[in-house]
């Protein structure tokens, strides 16, 4: 699933680049669409991991966010969002500007976490992403267990 937008002057920061928060909002929207489409439920963002800006993004650039469901827990979904940036004034291919993993939680009609469908894995690459997602999921669970003990 992909969403795209050309960056506008009102999205710039004082340095003339695009404000990081604008891109993070697009990524969050993209992850939310993937999660909603998989669960067919309302969803909220519980966590964002490994968000790293690799390239600057300028006003007038085309930004495209690609969302891929990588792992599913019982009520949560792990989504890899990849952001590609293209300078529309140059005949050059788009480049990867940043990636991050979003954990989205499905909510029932009472706003409580609810179960989501399993994820069907078909390719080796999907299996690799699934295994990585599972490791992140288990590590977060462990960390949260320790928070509640403090
Ligand atoms: C995310 C939220 C619904 C979880 O509610 P909760 O009562 O703590 O839920 P539980 O502990 O029962 O966990 C429910 C699921 O969320 C996952 N989860 C909860 N907190 C999490 C966190 N910090 N990171 C990753 N996953 C989390 C759990 O692993 C579980 O998924 P699983 O069944 O696949 O294991 C709740 O913390 C919340 O509403 N947070 C605010 C979300 C929000 O408003 N986001 C937008 C910010 S502007």
């Amino acid at each position: 699933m992909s969403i795209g937008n050309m960056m506008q002057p009102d999205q710039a920061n004082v340095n003339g680049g695009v404000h990081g928060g604008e891109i993070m909002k697009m990524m969050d929207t993209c992850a939310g669409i993937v999660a909603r489409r998989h669960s067919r439920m309302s969803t909220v963002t519980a966590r964002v991991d490994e968000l790293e800006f690799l390239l600057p993004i300028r006003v007038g650039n085309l930004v495209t966010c690609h969302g891929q469901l990588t792992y599913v827990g019982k009520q949560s979904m792990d989504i890899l969002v990849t952001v590609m940036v293209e300078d529309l004034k140059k005949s050059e291919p788009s480049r990867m500007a940043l990636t991050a993993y979003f954990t989205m939680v499905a909510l029932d009609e009472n706003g409580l976490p609810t179960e989501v469908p399993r994820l069907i894995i078909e390719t080796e690459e999907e299996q690799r992403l699934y295994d990585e997602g599972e490791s992140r999921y288990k590590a977060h669970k462990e960390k949260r267990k320790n928070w509640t003990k403090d």
Side-chain angles (χ1 to χ4, degrees):
M1 203 291 303
S2 303
I3 56 171
N5 229 334
M6 187 169 76
M7 295 297 104
Q8 301 296 318
D10 66 352
Q11 295 176 296
N13 60 29
V14 288
N15 301 320
V18 170
H19 200 289
E22 297 281 350
I23 306 299
M24 283 149 66
K25 184 175 178 190
M26 261 184 91
M27 295 172 84
D28 195 31
T29 301
C30 178
I33 294 170
V34 172
R36 202 177 246 262
R37 185 185 259 168
H38 179 74
S39 63
R40 303 294 177 197
M41 306 296 287
S42 295
T43 62
V44 282
T45 311
R47 180 181 190 95
V48 183
D49 282 297
E50 297 177 31
L51 194 147
E52 194 177 347
F53 289 89
L54 305 171
L55 291 177
I57 297 176
R58 309 273 177 221
V59 170
N61 286 171
L62 174 65
V63 169
T64 310
C65 295
H66 303 277
Q68 182 180 358
L69 187 62
T70 58
Y71 175 80
V72 164
K74 198 168 150 214
Q75 299 165 321
S76 65
M77 293 156 278
D78 182 79
I79 293 141
L80 169 61
V81 179
T82 306
V83 179
M84 304 299 293
V85 62
E86 181 181 339
D87 185 341
L88 295 170
K89 287 187 172 167
K90 294 182 182 163
S91 302
E92 291 172 359
S94 60
R95 295 198 293 159
M96 192 169 76
L98 65 150
T99 58
Y101 293 93
F102 284 70
T103 305
M104 312 299 289
V105 177
L107 302 179
D108 66 14
E109 52 286 354
N110 298 313
L112 296 172
T114 187
E115 276 194 42
V116 298
R118 303 301 86 210
L119 177 59
I120 297 160
I121 300 295
E122 288 172 342
T123 67
E124 274 182 27
E125 175 62 5
E126 286 171 358
Q127 187 64 54
R128 185 185 68 75
L129 289 170
Y130 184 93
D131 293 342
E132 286 177 10
E134 187 173 40
S135 300
R136 272 191 305 277
Y137 171 83
K138 286 182 174 163
H140 298 152
K141 278 242 153 174
E142 201 52 39
K143 226 187 248 175
R144 285 203 306 284
K145 241 193 269 167
N146 293 333
W147 286 344
T148 48
K149 280 184 202 152
D150 293 340

